[in-house]
């Protein structure tokens, strides 16, 4: 059977066997938790609690700061210790609410729904908005905004991104195996918002157990299908996923809704299910803790606000001092200078490795081999774009499609000269976007 895919891409070692076979377990925090007010694209949330206030698990502690924003909820019961700037995984200092955990986990009473099919479109959107759900694959775009396009009748496809193409990450895999019913029902809830939309569960073919399980769950469903994708990085990137499943193309000036598509990842769709059916806000997520420096690679259900350092302790610590710790996947994640930072809505993984080949590799001159061009899923010439960056040639960079880069890292991965192609292009893209805002 032909597999759905896209042009370009790479096949790195996936490392998924380290953690994929182990069930998700709960990570219980102690002491204090840190809740940054900016865990999403858009305006930061605004605190609605003050120092000394008692809070319950599931209580809103910060409200949305605008239309493109999202509220923040406490994942524990306890007392507000302070509201101050704290460092997050990216290294930035962000205004945060600090809560001292009392260990009791006293909860608010949730507004569960006996049958979500009796809810109106507005009521479903309201529940998703109130729950503070954002894209949990890393982008952090408020989900309710994404589900409210200008023309709902133009949406043809709701795509569940089940590809999980980043090496080492297995949180979506475990979600599909353990909570496949929530994923499918969450997709049905999303489909109810759009009159003529069809649901697609897009899964890479290196997950046959998930494919079989999801097919059984939708056996009697005529508006959802499972599409088996060719295993290739970055199959889960939004533009590549849309092209592979629908044949439609999206560029940097477009939104998926412009081609009739809405894409959400597995954890986000499960959060939609919990918000609409159980009335629960987003206050926890699944995190993959893995790598050759980790004693027990596996997936954890982690309360937002818990620090990575405490998560590592719950995991049993490291085998030996890691040479590199990465927040997120090895391709699009970033190195961490400290683990004393909180898990947020957009956290996906913590990877720890005994060796750091990137820091020891030496860059040499480009040999014009074109490997970066063949690997680029956007059809760009990364080597030339990187040269333009080094010569501060913004005009040529934009004219040659530099803004179409999805920063997947394929070009840097295949470059025999070990040039930091992705990093160079990413830097100029940020500069160009900043100039456009001015």
């Amino acid at each position: 059977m032909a597999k759905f895919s896209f042009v370009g891409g790479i096949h790195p070692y996936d490392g998924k066997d380290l953690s994929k076979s182990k069930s998700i377990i709960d990570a219980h925090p102690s002491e204090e938790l840190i809740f940054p007010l900016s865990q999403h694209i858009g305006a930061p949330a605004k605190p609605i609690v003050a120092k000394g206030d008692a809070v319950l698990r599931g209580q809103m502690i910060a409200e949305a700061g605008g239309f493109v924003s999202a509220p923040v909820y406490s994942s524990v019961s306890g007392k507000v210790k302070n509201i101050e700037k704290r460092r997050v995984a990216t290294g930035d200092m962000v205004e945060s609410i600090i809560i001292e955990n009392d260990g009791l986990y006293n909860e608010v009473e949730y507004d569960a729904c006996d049958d979500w099919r009796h809810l109106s479109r507005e009521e479903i959107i309201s529940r998703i908005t109130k729950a503070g759900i954002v894209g949990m694959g890393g982008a952090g775009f408020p989900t309710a905004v994404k589900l409210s396009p200008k023309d709902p009748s133009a949406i043809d496809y709701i795509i569940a991104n089940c590809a999980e193409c980043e090496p080492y990450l297995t949180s979506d895999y475990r979600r599909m195996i353990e909570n496949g019913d929530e994923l499918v029902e969450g997709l049905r809830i999303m489909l109810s918002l759009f009159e003529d939309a069809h649901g697609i569960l897009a899964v890479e073919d290196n997950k046959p157990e998930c494919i079989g399980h999801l097919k059984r769950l939708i056996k009697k469903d005529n508006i959802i299908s499972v599409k088996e994708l060719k295993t290739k990085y970055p199959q889960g990137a939004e533009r590549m996923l849309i092209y592979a499943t629908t044949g439609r193309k999206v560029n940097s000036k477009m939104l998926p809704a412009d081609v009739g598509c809405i894409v959400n990842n597995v954890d986000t769709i499960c959060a939609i299910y919990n918000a609409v059916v159980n009335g629960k806000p987003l206050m926890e997520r699944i995190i993959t803790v893995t790598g050759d420096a980790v004693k027990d690679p596996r997936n954890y259900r982690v309360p937002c606000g818990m620090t990575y350092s405490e998560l590592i302790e719950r995991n049993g610590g490291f085998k030996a001092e890691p040479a590199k710790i990465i927040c997120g996947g090895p391709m699009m994640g970033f190195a961490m200078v400290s683990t004393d930072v909180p898990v947020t809505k957009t956290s996906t993984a913590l990877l720890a490795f005994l060796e750091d080949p990137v820091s020891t590799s030496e860059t040499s001159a480009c040999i014009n081999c074109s490997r970066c061009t063949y690997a680029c899923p956007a059809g760009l010439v990364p080597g030339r774009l990187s040269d333009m960056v080094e010569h501060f040639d913004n005009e040529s960079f934009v004219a040659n499609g530099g803004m179409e880069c999805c920063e997947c890292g394929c070009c840097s991965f295949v470059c025999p000269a070990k040039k930091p192609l992705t990093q160079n292009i990413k830097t100029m893209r940020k500069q160009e976007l900043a100039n456009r805002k001015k």
Side-chain angles (χ1 to χ4, degrees), residues 271-288:
I272 288 172
Y273 168 85
N274 273 304
V276 175
V277 175
N278 299 321
K280 289 190 175 183
L282 175 53
M283 52 185 174
E284 61 186 19
R285 63 158 302 131
I286 311 302
I287 300 281
T288 303

Side-chain angles (χ1 to χ4, degrees), residues 83 88 151 169 176 198 215 224 290 292 319 322 366 377 387:
I83 299 176
V88 294
D151 183 9
L169 273 60
M176 286 185 275
H198 180 83
K215 282 184 175 179
I224 300 178
T290 188
D292 59 8
K319 294 177 182 176
C366 173
D387 288 341

Side-chain angles (χ1 to χ4, degrees), residues 24 28 48 51 155 195 239 372 406:
I24 298 168
H28 298 293
I48 56 172
K51 182 177 178 179
I155 301 300
E195 192 173 336
R239 295 185 210 171
C372 61
C406 64

Side-chain angles (χ1 to χ4, degrees), residues 143-212:
T143 302
V145 178
K146 185 183 283 191
L147 294 175
S148 305
K150 291 180 181 178
D151 183 9
S153 65
I155 301 300
D156 303 314
Y157 295 103
I158 306 294
I159 304 170
N161 184 353
C162 309
E164 196 166 47
C165 63
E166 269 273 12
Y168 291 92
L169 273 60
T170 58
S171 56
D172 285 352
Y173 175 87
R174 291 310 314 175
R175 270 290 210 183
M176 286 185 275
I177 293 295
E178 298 181 37
N179 307 121
D181 53 342
E182 293 184 8
L183 171 63
V184 171
E185 196 68 3
L187 183 54
R188 290 190 184 115
I189 291 170
M190 294 171 69
L191 287 167
S192 73
L193 304 175
F194 305 96
E195 192 173 336
D196 300 314
H198 180 83
I200 297 174
L201 293 157
V203 194
E204 281 192 324
D205 62 2
N206 64 349
K207 304 172 182 67
E209 303 90 345
C210 292
I211 292 170

Side-chain angles (χ1 to χ4, degrees), residues 33 35 48-62 72-83 97-108:
L33 285 86
F35 298 89
I48 56 172
V49 292
K51 182 177 178 179
D53 286 355
V55 297
L56 299 173
R57 172 174 160 82
Q59 178 180 329
M60 185 187 293
I61 55 175
V72 177
Y73 289 80
S74 177
S75 57
V76 295
S77 58
K79 185 176 289 187
V80 177
K81 192 174 179 180
N82 208 354
I83 299 176
I97 298 172
I98 317 302
I99 293 180
E100 192 171 358
N101 180 17
D102 63 12
L104 300 176
Y105 296 94
N106 294 322
E107 291 191 84
V108 301

